[in-house]
Amino acid sequence: QGNADYAFFQHIIASMKPNSGRSAILFPHGILFRDQEKDMREKIVSADIIDCIIGLGPNLFYNSSMESCIVICRSKKSADKRGKILLIKAAEQIRQETNMSYLDPEHVLAIAEAYNKWEDVEGFSRVVGLDEIRGNQSRLSIPLYVETQSDDGDQRELPEVLGEWLQSSNELRASMDDLFEMLDEFNDNEE
C-alpha cells in the first residue's frame, strides 16, 4: 500500500514473456530514488531486467509539470548488457515554450541514437554497472551517474561579472525612473 508505482512496475515485469519480453514504462521521476521504495527497487535492480532509464524534463504532459522518466526493461539482456544499465539524461533534449515542453523529432533521434549505441557520452549518457548502483542504495537517479557537462570556456572572474551586473542594474534603474517620470506627466495631464 502507498507504492502504486512499484505495484504497476511489478505487474508489467510479471507480464513480460520470460525469454523475449520487453517493456517501456513512463513513470514519475521519483520512482528512481524514493526511500520508501528502496527494498523493491533493490530487488528489481538485482534481477537485472532494467535495460535503460531515460530521464525526461518537466512540463511534457498537458496539465502536469511532473518530471518523468522512461524505464526500459528486458526479460533477457544480451551478454554484453548484463549487469549494466544505460542511463540517458535527456532533460535537455526538449524544447520549452511558455509552460509546456516538447520532444521534437531531433530530440527523439538523439535519444534513440544514444540508446542504440549504448555507450558513455559525456553529460548525456552512461553505462553503469549494478555494483555501482547498489553502492548508491540502488538509487537510479540519473544525476548520480551522468554528470552535467561543464563549459569551462565560459569561466569569468567575479569582479567582471559583478561589474556587468551593476551596470545593467543602473541602466534598469534609470529606465524605471524615466518610465515613472512619464507616468507622472501622463497622470498630471489627465487631471
Side-chain angles (χ1 to χ4, degrees):
Q1 189 170 355
N3 297 304
D5 290 330
Y6 269 88
F8 179 64
F9 198 174
Q10 291 170 359
H11 173 72
I12 295 294
I13 292 167
S15 300
M16 292 191 318
K17 287 185 178 181
N19 292 320
S20 62
R22 292 181 289 172
S23 67
I25 316 159
L26 180 68
F27 280 119
H29 205 254
I31 197 170
L32 303 175
F33 55 83
R34 290 187 293 238
D35 286 337
Q36 68 266 26
E37 298 162 338
K38 179 181 174 230
D39 293 339
M40 290 178 280
R41 190 173 54 246
E42 283 175 344
K43 288 179 177 130
I44 290 173
V45 166
S46 292
D48 196 17
I49 58 165
I50 299 175
D51 187 40
C52 177
I53 298 172
I54 303 168
L56 302 171
N59 299 318
L60 278 170
F61 303 100
Y62 184 73
N63 247 0
S64 175
S65 61
M66 135 182 122
E67 193 168 339
S68 58
C69 63
I70 299 170
V71 179
I72 300 172
C73 297
R74 287 184 179 268
S75 297
K76 286 212 170 183
K77 294 182 182 179
S78 59
D80 60 325
K81 294 182 179 181
R82 285 188 198 132
K84 303 172 196 164
I85 298 174
L86 174 66
L87 298 164
I88 301 175
K89 184 179 178 181
E92 286 87 29
Q93 294 296 317
I94 57 175
R95 174 176 49 89
Q96 292 184 309
E97 283 185 18
T98 59
N99 294 355
M100 284 297 296
S101 298
Y102 301 90
L103 275 168
D104 291 327
E106 62 268 19
H107 304 134
V108 174
L109 182 61
I111 295 166
E113 282 180 13
Y115 178 74
N116 289 329
K117 287 182 179 177
W118 228 77
E119 62 187 21
D120 295 353
V121 176
E122 185 182 347
F124 186 54
S125 65
R126 183 163 170 239
V127 177
V128 182
L130 296 186
D131 288 338
E132 182 178 349
I133 292 170
R134 284 188 203 102
N136 281 320
Q137 299 178 342
S138 294
R139 286 191 181 102
L140 297 166
S141 182
I142 295 169
L144 284 174
Y145 308 100
V146 182
E147 294 181 16
T148 303
Q149 199 168 9
S150 65
D151 185 7
D152 295 334
D154 196 28
Q155 296 291 327
R156 298 187 313 165
E157 296 295 319
L158 180 62
E160 177 187 359
V161 174
L162 184 59
E164 288 177 11
W165 179 80
L166 287 171
Q167 180 180 350
S168 73
S169 178
N170 289 336
E171 289 170 5
L172 176 62
R173 187 173 292 116
S175 175
M176 293 298 292
D177 289 344
D178 290 344
L179 177 63
F180 288 135
E181 218 173 277
M182 285 173 47
L183 288 172
D184 286 342
E185 287 176 20
F186 179 75
N187 285 337
D188 290 342
N189 289 338
E190 290 290 311
E191 293 172 358

